[in-house]
């Protein structure tokens, strides 16, 4: 069984740029959730996708957007990057039980 | 405002000792309380979870104690081992949305170091 995989693992961007992060969900999982984890903090819920539809959103501005594809993989897009967007972005997949299975994250640094 | 308050921020325990991490919440609509373990460079992994209809749940060396009236829950790690050294997060969730999915509210984490 393949776990949750995220890419890229690390990336550096400058303020104002745009970034796309990718996530492949665990086999059989139809839901993907994205979390932002700043250094030394707990994860913060960004949004969730269930069967290609947004299924809940946290307190993040519209420049954070996402997609889920028919194979249940997902993308997180962030436009107009700000310094405070520097964080570990975690993707988690799940199916019906509420238990989240996390990938290892994408570490974004904004300079 | 932090909806889930976790303490202590860091904890040092001797091998074989008991590690205790506490969390408190305000929202009485929360009905699912998981604990996650995170090693450096890795994503969080579910350790154990409890629902408010029970006061205690045990899985191996890990126990959750839940006090509904006090709106508090805690993680106890018995016979702590150096391999348990990690960051532990409590979380809470209220209700489910489409597909029986949940949105988790997380504590700030506790960095546990178990000395050999």
């Amino acid at each position: 069984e393949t776990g949750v995989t995220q890419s890229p693992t690390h990336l550096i961007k400058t303020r104002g740029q745009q970034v796309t992060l990718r996530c492949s969900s665990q086999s059989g999982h139809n839901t993907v959730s994205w979390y932002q984890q700043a250094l030394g903090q707990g994860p913060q819920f960004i949004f969730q996708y269930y069967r290609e539809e947004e299924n809940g959103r946290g307190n993040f501005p519209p420049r954070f957007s996402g997609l889920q594809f028919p194979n249940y993989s997902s993308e997180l897009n962030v436009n107009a990057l700000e310094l405070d967007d520097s964080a570990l972005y975690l993707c988690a997949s799940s199916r019906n039980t509420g238990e989240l299975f996390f990938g290892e994250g994408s570490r974004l640094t904004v300079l | 405002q932090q909806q889930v308050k976790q303490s202590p921020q860091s904890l040092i325990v001797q091998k074989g000792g008991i590690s205790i991490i506490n969390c408190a919440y305000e929202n009485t609509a929360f009905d699912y309380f998981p604990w996650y373990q995170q090693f450096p460079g890795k994503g969080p992994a579910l350790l154990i979870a409890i629902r408010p209809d029970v006061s205690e749940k045990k899985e191996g060396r890990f126990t959750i104690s839940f006090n509904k009236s006090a709106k508090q829950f805690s993680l106890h790690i018995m016979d702590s081992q150096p391999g348990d050294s990690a960051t532990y997060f409590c979380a809470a969730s209220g209700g489910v949305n489409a597909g029986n999915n949940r949105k988790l509210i997380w504590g700030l984490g506790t960095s546990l170091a178990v000395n050999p």
Side-chain angles (χ1 to χ4, degrees):
Chain A
E1 184 178 78
T2 307
V4 178
T5 58
Q6 293 187 242
S7 64
T9 55
H10 296 83
L11 69 167
I12 300 173
K13 293 285 187 177
T14 56
R15 262 189 320 176
Q17 284 190 313
Q18 178 266 344
V19 68
T20 297
L21 307 178
R22 295 178 175 83
C23 172
S24 293
S25 60
Q26 186 162 319
S27 177
H29 288 188
N30 56 15
T31 301
V32 170
S33 303
W34 286 92
Y35 287 81
Q36 180 196 65
Q37 186 177 20
L39 202 60
Q41 304 289 313
Q44 298 286 319
F45 176 74
I46 303 175
F47 43 56
Q48 182 181 85
Y49 281 85
Y50 169 64
R51 294 184 177 177
E52 302 179 60
E53 298 285 332
E54 189 176 286
N55 192 35
R57 187 180 181 93
N59 190 26
F60 280 81
R63 59 190 186 84
F64 285 78
S65 63
L67 281 174
Q68 187 179 33
F69 300 100
N71 66 354
Y72 302 130
S73 66
S74 178
E75 285 183 356
L76 164 65
N77 299 290
V78 187
N79 294 323
L81 283 167
E82 301 177 359
L83 297 179
D84 284 349
D85 296 333
S86 295
L88 180 68
Y89 287 85
L90 293 163
C91 169
S93 73
S94 56
R95 182 182 176 89
N96 300 331
T97 66
E99 179 179 351
L100 301 179
F101 293 82
F102 283 87
E104 296 191 350
S106 293
R107 172 74 62 187
L108 171 65
T109 302
V110 182
L111 302 176
Chain B
Q1 184 182 4
Q2 193 70 24
Q3 293 192 54
V4 178
K5 296 181 180 178
Q6 184 171 347
S7 63
Q9 185 176 352
S10 62
L11 181 62
I12 300 174
V13 173
Q14 293 300 118
K15 178 181 175 181
I18 303 173
S19 304
I20 301 174
I21 305 170
N22 301 299
C23 282
Y25 64 97
E26 290 296 324
N27 190 341
T28 55
F30 287 156
D31 63 354
Y32 173 70
F33 303 88
W35 285 90
Y36 280 79
Q37 179 189 57
Q38 186 176 28
F39 292 104
K42 302 289 186 182
L46 179 66
L47 260 182
I48 186 172
I50 197 168
R51 297 185 191 275
D53 52 343
V54 297
S55 60
E56 186 175 281
K57 183 175 181 180
K58 183 176 180 180
E59 289 185 3
R61 296 185 294 111
F62 301 92
T63 299
I64 298 180
S65 297
F66 185 80
N67 185 329
K68 188 174 181 178
S69 61
K71 292 186 285 187
Q72 295 175 347
F73 58 110
S74 61
L75 175 69
H76 296 232
I77 305 174
M78 312 302 286
D79 187 26
S80 298
Q81 299 296 312
D84 297 331
S85 298
T87 300
Y88 291 81
F89 292 94
C90 63
S93 170
V96 295
N97 48 14
N100 198 37
N101 290 299
R102 291 181 174 274
K103 159 191 166 182
L104 293 181
I105 309 297
W106 297 66
L108 293 181
T110 296
S111 177
L112 171 65
V114 180
N115 290 333

